[in-house]
Short mmCIF file of all heavy atoms in Angstrom, two decimals:
data_model
loop_
_atom_site.label_atom_id
_atom_site.label_comp_id
_atom_site.label_asym_id
_atom_site.label_seq_id
_atom_site.Cartn_x
_atom_site.Cartn_y
_atom_site.Cartn_z
N MET F 200 22.87 1.75 -1.29
CA MET F 200 22.00 1.51 -0.15
C MET F 200 21.41 0.10 -0.28
O MET F 200 20.99 -0.30 -1.35
CB MET F 200 20.88 2.54 -0.11
CG MET F 200 19.87 2.22 0.93
SD MET F 200 18.34 3.16 0.92
CE MET F 200 18.63 4.56 -0.05
N GLY F 228 12.01 7.49 -2.06
CA GLY F 228 11.78 8.34 -3.22
C GLY F 228 12.55 9.62 -3.07
O GLY F 228 13.53 9.70 -2.32
N SER F 229 12.08 10.64 -3.74
CA SER F 229 12.67 11.98 -3.63
C SER F 229 11.60 12.92 -3.14
O SER F 229 10.42 12.78 -3.50
CB SER F 229 13.18 12.45 -4.99
OG SER F 229 14.18 11.59 -5.46
N ASP F 230 12.02 13.89 -2.32
CA ASP F 230 11.05 14.89 -1.88
C ASP F 230 10.86 15.92 -2.98
O ASP F 230 11.40 15.78 -4.08
CB ASP F 230 11.44 15.50 -0.53
CG ASP F 230 12.67 16.37 -0.58
OD1 ASP F 230 13.17 16.69 -1.68
OD2 ASP F 230 13.14 16.76 0.50
N GLY F 233 13.90 17.15 -4.74
CA GLY F 233 14.76 16.17 -5.39
C GLY F 233 15.72 15.45 -4.47
O GLY F 233 16.53 14.65 -4.91
N VAL F 234 15.64 15.73 -3.17
CA VAL F 234 16.52 15.09 -2.19
C VAL F 234 16.01 13.68 -1.90
O VAL F 234 14.79 13.48 -1.73
CB VAL F 234 16.57 15.93 -0.89
CG1 VAL F 234 17.32 15.21 0.22
CG2 VAL F 234 17.19 17.29 -1.17
N PRO F 235 16.89 12.68 -1.84
CA PRO F 235 16.45 11.32 -1.48
C PRO F 235 15.73 11.33 -0.13
O PRO F 235 16.20 11.97 0.82
CB PRO F 235 17.75 10.53 -1.40
CG PRO F 235 18.72 11.28 -2.26
CD PRO F 235 18.34 12.74 -2.09
N ALA F 236 14.61 10.62 -0.07
CA ALA F 236 13.77 10.69 1.13
C ALA F 236 13.22 9.32 1.52
O ALA F 236 13.07 8.43 0.69
CB ALA F 236 12.62 11.66 0.88
N LEU F 237 12.94 9.22 2.80
CA LEU F 237 12.26 8.07 3.38
C LEU F 237 10.89 8.56 3.83
O LEU F 237 10.79 9.45 4.69
CB LEU F 237 13.04 7.53 4.58
CG LEU F 237 12.36 6.46 5.43
CD1 LEU F 237 12.12 5.19 4.61
CD2 LEU F 237 13.20 6.17 6.66
N PHE F 238 9.84 8.01 3.24
CA PHE F 238 8.47 8.37 3.59
C PHE F 238 7.90 7.26 4.45
O PHE F 238 7.81 6.11 4.01
CB PHE F 238 7.63 8.57 2.33
CG PHE F 238 8.14 9.65 1.43
CD1 PHE F 238 8.97 9.35 0.37
CD2 PHE F 238 7.81 10.97 1.66
CE1 PHE F 238 9.46 10.34 -0.47
CE2 PHE F 238 8.29 11.98 0.83
CZ PHE F 238 9.12 11.67 -0.23
N TRP F 274 21.64 6.55 6.31
CA TRP F 274 21.13 6.24 4.97
C TRP F 274 21.15 7.43 4.01
O TRP F 274 20.88 7.26 2.82
CB TRP F 274 19.70 5.71 5.09
CG TRP F 274 19.63 4.51 5.96
CD1 TRP F 274 19.31 4.47 7.29
CD2 TRP F 274 19.93 3.17 5.59
NE1 TRP F 274 19.39 3.18 7.76
CE2 TRP F 274 19.77 2.36 6.73
CE3 TRP F 274 20.32 2.56 4.39
CZ2 TRP F 274 19.99 0.99 6.73
CZ3 TRP F 274 20.53 1.20 4.38
CH2 TRP F 274 20.36 0.42 5.54
N GLY F 275 21.40 8.63 4.51
CA GLY F 275 21.39 9.81 3.65
C GLY F 275 20.01 10.15 3.12
O GLY F 275 19.87 10.73 2.05
N LEU F 276 18.97 9.81 3.91
CA LEU F 276 17.59 10.04 3.49
C LEU F 276 16.92 11.05 4.40
O LEU F 276 17.00 10.96 5.62
CB LEU F 276 16.80 8.73 3.56
CG LEU F 276 17.29 7.59 2.68
CD1 LEU F 276 16.59 6.29 3.05
CD2 LEU F 276 17.08 7.92 1.21
N ARG F 277 16.24 12.01 3.80
CA ARG F 277 15.45 12.97 4.58
C ARG F 277 14.14 12.27 4.97
O ARG F 277 13.43 11.78 4.10
CB ARG F 277 15.16 14.22 3.76
CG ARG F 277 14.42 15.28 4.57
CD ARG F 277 14.28 16.55 3.80
NE ARG F 277 15.60 17.16 3.59
CZ ARG F 277 15.84 18.11 2.69
NH1 ARG F 277 14.88 18.54 1.91
NH2 ARG F 277 17.04 18.61 2.57
N PRO F 278 13.82 12.20 6.27
CA PRO F 278 12.62 11.47 6.69
C PRO F 278 11.36 12.35 6.69
O PRO F 278 11.40 13.54 7.04
CB PRO F 278 12.97 11.06 8.12
CG PRO F 278 13.86 12.17 8.60
CD PRO F 278 14.65 12.62 7.39
N TYR F 279 10.27 11.72 6.31
CA TYR F 279 8.94 12.34 6.38
C TYR F 279 8.00 11.31 6.98
O TYR F 279 8.03 10.15 6.59
CB TYR F 279 8.44 12.73 4.98
CG TYR F 279 9.26 13.82 4.33
CD1 TYR F 279 10.35 13.50 3.54
CD2 TYR F 279 8.95 15.15 4.54
CE1 TYR F 279 11.13 14.49 2.95
CE2 TYR F 279 9.71 16.16 3.95
CZ TYR F 279 10.79 15.82 3.15
OH TYR F 279 11.55 16.80 2.58
#
Side-chain angles (χ1 to χ4, degrees):
M200 172 191 343
S229 299
D230 68 10
V234 172
L237 171 64
F238 300 96
W274 302 96
L276 299 169
R277 184 174 294 164
Y279 294 90

